[in-house]
Amino acid sequence: MTEASEHGGAAPERAATNPGRDGTAPERATAAPGRDGAGVRDDGTGGRRNGAGDPRPGAGGPAPRVRLVDVAREAGLSKTTVSAALNGTGRLSPEIREKARETARRMGYRPNATARQLRAGRARLIGYVVGELADTPWTFLESPYFARLTGATAATALARGYAVVLLPAGSLQSEWAALPLDAVVVADPVADDRIVEDLLAARIPVFSDRSVEGRPGAHWVDVDAADAVGQVLDHVHAQGARRPVLVVPDSTTRFHREVDAAHGAWCAARGLPKLTVRAAEPGNGPVIRAVETALGGRPERPDALLVVAEASPPLVLDAARRHGYDVPGDLLLVCVSEDETAVHTQPPVTTLSLRPDAVAEAGIAHLVAVLEQGLQETGGSLVPVRLDVRASSVRPG
Amino acid sequence: MTEASEHGGAAPERAATNPGRDGTAPERATAAPGRDGAGVRDDGTGGRRNGAGDPRPGAGGPAPRVRLVDVAREAGLSKTTVSAALNGTGRLSPEIREKARETARRMGYRPNATARQLRAGRARLIGYVVGELADTPWTFLESPYFARLTGATAATALARGYAVVLLPAGSLQSEWAALPLDAVVVADPVADDRIVEDLLAARIPVFSDRSVEGRPGAHWVDVDAADAVGQVLDHVHAQGARRPVLVVPDSTTRFHREVDAAHGAWCAARGLPKLTVRAAEPGNGPVIRAVETALGGRPERPDALLVVAEASPPLVLDAARRHGYDVPGDLLLVCVSEDETAVHTQPPVTTLSLRPDAVAEAGIAHLVAVLEQGLQETGGSLVPVRLDVRASSVRPG
DNA sequence: TTGAAAGCGCTAACAC
DNA sequence: GTGTTAGCGCTTTCAA
């Protein structure tokens, strides 16, 4: 009965110091009804149903968790000593340290993460939101790009000691206010999404793409869209294409606006026609329809098709065939995609990877620097893309 | 100076009660150096760099967060009153309540989630692990089934007030021990994965598929594999198929073992040959190769192909065509898949959905019941599948 | 109706 | 080298 509930109830006027030596302390710590003294005590919410010394087999509910103080009592040591022993801090004799560890192991002690977090002032928790398609939340995971970005973000963060929680697109304060988030990653925010504003207003650091540039507290990593367009167009141009057509979703995403601008600049610089077909929205259906528009019914047929939208490479290839094209004989094909099926088609499809893994790594590295080194400037970085050339874009012969 | 640091330092022997009326309390609460009294105090880790009444503009680091006590002081009320006002608890006069709320709003107060969690004894945090493919963690998100399952789990949980954190497959205790997890969802655990044992040993409730059945603390929801096989085989049988061949990954997953058993039973009952081809592992490459094995070089060609493995429907369709089949003329095709591309092929591919959304909903509902109503029995439930019949499996004419 | 204080479980500063 | 205790920010009981 050295430690428990010495502060609890009984004599409010009693001196609060040196409780262990206070001979008048009521002797109820280990007696029934458990640690719950007769005096000042919470209801069950915050309190413990059952004292460690009072298993009370009949009483429902799971056995209470072993706390640091339980280990200390069992080992005949103080909380401090046990804490130091388990955390490897402080200067303790090896025997004491081993004894504390052994007792903890034997009792199945696991530190309370929440208490540690409160103590540390941080929860090492990062929110992760995809802002796109707020009306159909969660579908983003079905896009290979976002699937990889999500996985890479979680993996990289965890390697740095941060856990990632998934948040729904277009979520209100109420959704995440109850979470102790150290920061939030907002992938591909749409222009009118409130979430970035809400987070910044709540003083939560935001990591996103370049569209948040300039706002205090917002940091960014982005894909180099101009580099992407340049690499793709240069590649098919080198293969002899003179009428490349781009299929781009008609979205407000920053990336696609930059793609459009870079495309225009590239065509102007070479005196080639700027051929673009816009898909009404992302998704296989609209993009495939746009592909068919791009390939069919033109006086002059295109000689290269560049799909800058998530679409299934085999579906694009089939569409081209239905329109009478031989790939790569009549038509060079490049898809901006992370979709692994591109490798398995015949011919395999050339893809441009937006490097979600690299984006995630750069983003988390930046985030950790901000959170841990107190890095202030809201700078950002541009991640290069990678072109994986396969048979679909290499002119035969 | 009513509240702050009354316990701190000064006179250890002094009575701890009625501090507000203790005229001898040191007058330093609002004076420099902030709330940091001269007495007992932590270092910066747990402490606050800057007192609320001491902005100290030059001092680096972000402004300290507004705490409940800051609002209380500003409004001239007690912590209790402000807390009750903001939470809508207690019996307060409307004016006081409004005043507290107004002050909190004006000061930008946001409650500290970690402190609330500590108080509440739960963090409302659920871990989410996919056990499959421990050697290549995170790739699961690229499978449409797991992508949907993950999204649906996060969405359903959040609707119930729980957040979901992503955990890597095959993770050690060290990865999640620092997180205050109320429970963990383990999707598709492999037989030899340690994680379920570790979690149960740590007394964290586990929600998984039926393979955890019977272990105390483990709860399950599963797909009805027999129903799945029955629906698919009955369907193609009704369309006239007499030599259906199944492509199944050679995995240790419970689902696939059950599929195999149900397939055998179905064939035996009808006196039809049990034709199975095993893919060496999951993934488009191996599965497509297995499909080609199934379709090519047999004396008698199959008249239906049932792909019970995540594979891209357009790729499967292309493989059938390369082997000279007309779908659905010579070959009925059904894929077990959540892949949306099945709708966009020509002909569209019949799919069997394993209903990840329904699995997630059932799982989270069960989980919430266990966590909140203290439901004890480690029961489970079986989720039915859904066959979406499209042209690829309907015999023409 | 309002407020004081206990205490959730942990860490670390400080006293011994 | 070990122990005592304050306190992270919050909720809630109990007293006034």
Side-chain angles (χ1 to χ4, degrees):
Chain A
M1 53 142 276
T2 50
E3 213 274 347
S5 65
E6 221 48 55
H7 290 279
E13 303 301 326
R14 166 170 84 76
T17 46
N18 295 333
R21 297 190 224 113
D22 185 349
T24 68
E27 314 240 358
R28 49 176 161 69
T30 58
R35 292 179 65 254
D36 293 341
V40 178
R41 207 103 217 331
D42 280 343
D43 72 348
T45 336
R48 296 168 67 75
R49 248 195 292 271
N50 247 332
D54 173 33
R56 229 191 319 185
R65 249 176 82 160
V66 178
R67 299 159 305 165
L68 189 62
V69 64
D70 299 321
V71 177
R73 187 166 24 216
E74 175 80 9
L77 299 167
S78 79
K79 288 199 299 178
T80 314
T81 307
V82 177
S83 173
L86 297 179
N87 293 336
T89 55
R91 312 154 304 271
L92 279 67
S93 71
E95 304 84 54
I96 293 282
R97 182 159 303 220
E98 189 43 46
K99 176 171 191 184
R101 289 195 165 144
E102 216 296 297
T103 311
R105 201 177 310 123
R106 181 164 47 78
M107 298 179 75
Y109 169 73
R110 291 194 322 118
N112 179 310
T114 304
R116 284 188 149 173
Q117 289 173 0
L118 180 59
R119 195 45 239 222
R122 297 180 312 166
R124 303 192 78 95
L125 211 56
I126 296 172
Y128 180 85
V129 195
V130 174
E132 208 184 21
L133 305 174
D135 48 335
T136 55
W138 300 109
T139 48
F140 72 88
L141 280 178
E142 287 156 45
S143 136
Y145 176 80
F146 286 116
R148 278 184 135 93
L149 184 67
T150 303
T153 301
T156 312
L158 215 59
R160 308 289 208 119
Y162 290 83
V164 167
V165 303
L166 293 175
L167 298 178
S171 62
L172 294 319
Q173 295 249 1
S174 59
E175 305 268 353
W176 43 264
L179 295 169
L181 301 176
D182 295 347
V184 172
V185 173
V186 180
D188 231 352
V190 288
D192 56 348
D193 199 340
R194 275 205 49 107
I195 190 140
V196 172
E197 313 304 329
D198 287 349
L199 289 166
L200 291 177
R203 304 173 134 284
I204 296 178
V206 171
F207 297 80
S208 188
D209 70 11
R210 203 168 182 173
S211 61
V212 302
E213 194 170 10
R215 271 181 283 189
H219 311 260
W220 63 270
V221 173
D222 214 336
V223 167
D224 193 337
D227 178 36
V229 172
Q231 281 203 34
V232 171
L233 286 168
D234 286 348
H235 166 64
V236 294
H237 190 254
Q239 294 291 320
R242 290 300 174 266
R243 293 183 54 76
V245 57
L246 253 71
V247 171
V248 189
D250 196 5
S251 87
T252 56
T253 319
R254 210 193 125 77
F255 176 74
H256 291 120
R257 278 183 279 126
E258 290 194 359
V259 162
D260 193 52
H263 180 205
W266 189 92
C267 292
R270 281 157 192 79
L272 294 175
K274 185 188 176 202
L275 306 174
T276 308
V277 175
R278 301 194 177 282
E281 44 183 324
N284 275 309
V287 173
I288 294 297
R289 279 194 291 279
V291 165
E292 301 196 316
T293 305
L295 297 180
R298 288 179 182 248
E300 286 189 84
R301 303 182 103 193
D303 53 8
L305 175 65
L306 315 175
V307 183
V308 189
E310 281 277 4
S312 164
L315 286 184
V316 174
L317 197 55
D318 283 350
R321 286 189 178 134
R322 283 200 302 276
H323 284 265
Y325 287 85
D326 173 55
V327 175
D330 313 328
L331 186 77
L332 303 178
L333 175 61
V334 179
C335 289
V336 173
S337 175
E338 313 302 318
D339 195 331
E340 184 244 355
T341 59
V343 185
H344 300 292
T345 54
Q346 293 198 354
V349 174
T350 294
T351 53
L352 185 85
S353 169
L354 265 22
R355 310 288 311 284
D357 46 349
V359 171
E361 262 172 55
I364 294 297
H366 187 176
L367 184 153
V368 170
V370 169
L371 292 184
E372 297 185 357
Q373 271 91 51
L375 182 66
Q376 289 277 348
E377 72 252 38
T378 61
S381 56
L382 231 38
V383 171
V385 297
R386 175 169 42 80
L387 186 68
D388 294 308
V389 177
R390 304 199 182 90
S392 75
S393 67
V394 180
R395 189 126 292 172
Chain B
M1 48 144 276
T2 52
E3 210 275 346
S5 63
E6 221 48 57
H7 290 279
E13 303 300 325
R14 167 168 83 77
T17 47
N18 294 331
R21 298 192 223 112
D22 185 349
T24 67
E27 315 237 359
R28 51 181 159 64
T30 56
R35 292 181 64 255
D36 294 339
V40 178
R41 208 105 217 327
D42 281 344
D43 72 348
T45 335
R48 295 167 67 76
R49 248 197 291 272
N50 246 331
D54 173 32
R56 231 191 317 186
R65 250 177 81 160
V66 178
R67 299 159 307 167
L68 189 62
V69 65
D70 300 321
V71 177
R73 188 165 23 217
E74 175 79 10
L77 299 166
S78 78
K79 288 199 297 178
T80 313
T81 307
V82 177
S83 174
L86 297 180
N87 293 337
T89 55
R91 312 156 303 271
L92 280 66
S93 70
E95 305 83 52
I96 293 280
R97 180 155 304 205
E98 189 42 47
K99 177 172 192 183
R101 289 196 164 143
E102 216 298 295
T103 310
R105 202 177 310 124
R106 181 162 49 75
M107 297 179 77
Y109 170 73
R110 292 194 322 117
N112 180 310
T114 305
R116 285 188 148 171
Q117 289 172 1
L118 179 59
R119 192 51 237 226
R122 296 181 312 167
R124 302 192 79 95
L125 212 57
I126 297 171
Y128 180 85
V129 196
V130 174
E132 207 184 23
L133 306 174
D135 48 336
T136 53
W138 300 110
T139 48
F140 71 86
L141 280 178
E142 288 157 45
S143 136
Y145 176 80
F146 286 116
R148 278 184 137 92
L149 184 67
T150 304
T153 301
T156 311
L158 216 59
R160 308 288 209 119
Y162 290 83
V164 167
V165 304
L166 293 174
L167 298 177
S171 62
L172 295 317
Q173 294 249 2
S174 59
E175 306 267 353
W176 45 263
L179 294 169
L181 301 177
D182 294 346
V184 173
V185 174
V186 180
D188 231 353
V190 288
D192 56 348
D193 198 340
R194 276 206 47 112
I195 188 138
V196 172
E197 312 305 329
D198 287 349
L199 290 165
L200 292 177
R203 305 174 133 284
I204 296 177
V206 171
F207 297 80
S208 187
D209 69 13
R210 203 167 181 175
S211 61
V212 302
E213 194 169 10
R215 271 182 283 190
H219 310 259
W220 62 269
V221 172
D222 213 337
V223 166
D224 192 337
D227 178 37
V229 171
Q231 282 204 32
V232 171
L233 286 168
D234 286 347
H235 167 65
V236 295
H237 190 254
Q239 294 291 319
R242 290 301 174 268
R243 291 183 55 74
V245 57
L246 253 69
V247 171
V248 188
D250 196 4
S251 86
T252 56
T253 318
R254 209 193 125 78
F255 176 73
H256 290 120
R257 277 182 281 127
E258 289 195 357
V259 163
D260 194 52
H263 181 204
W266 189 92
C267 292
R270 281 155 192 80
L272 294 176
K274 186 187 176 204
L275 305 175
T276 308
V277 175
R278 301 194 177 280
E281 43 185 324
N284 277 307
V287 172
I288 294 297
R289 278 194 292 280
V291 164
E292 301 196 315
T293 304
L295 297 181
R298 289 180 179 244
E300 286 190 84
R301 304 182 103 193
D303 53 10
L305 174 65
L306 315 176
V307 182
V308 188
E310 281 278 3
S312 163
L315 286 182
V316 174
L317 197 55
D318 283 350
R321 286 190 180 134
R322 282 200 302 277
H323 284 265
Y325 287 86
D326 173 55
V327 175
D330 310 331
L331 186 77
L332 303 178
L333 175 61
V334 179
C335 289
V336 172
S337 175
E338 313 302 318
D339 196 330
E340 184 246 354
T341 58
V343 185
H344 301 292
T345 53
Q346 295 198 355
V349 175
T350 294
T351 54
L352 185 86
S353 169
L354 266 21
R355 311 287 311 284
D357 47 349
V359 172
E361 261 170 58
I364 294 297
H366 188 176
L367 184 153
V368 170
V370 170
L371 292 185
E372 298 185 356
Q373 272 91 52
L375 182 67
Q376 289 277 345
E377 72 252 37
T378 62
S381 56
L382 230 38
V383 172
V385 297
R386 175 171 40 83
L387 185 68
D388 294 306
V389 177
R390 305 198 183 89
S392 75
S393 68
V394 179
R395 186 127 295 173

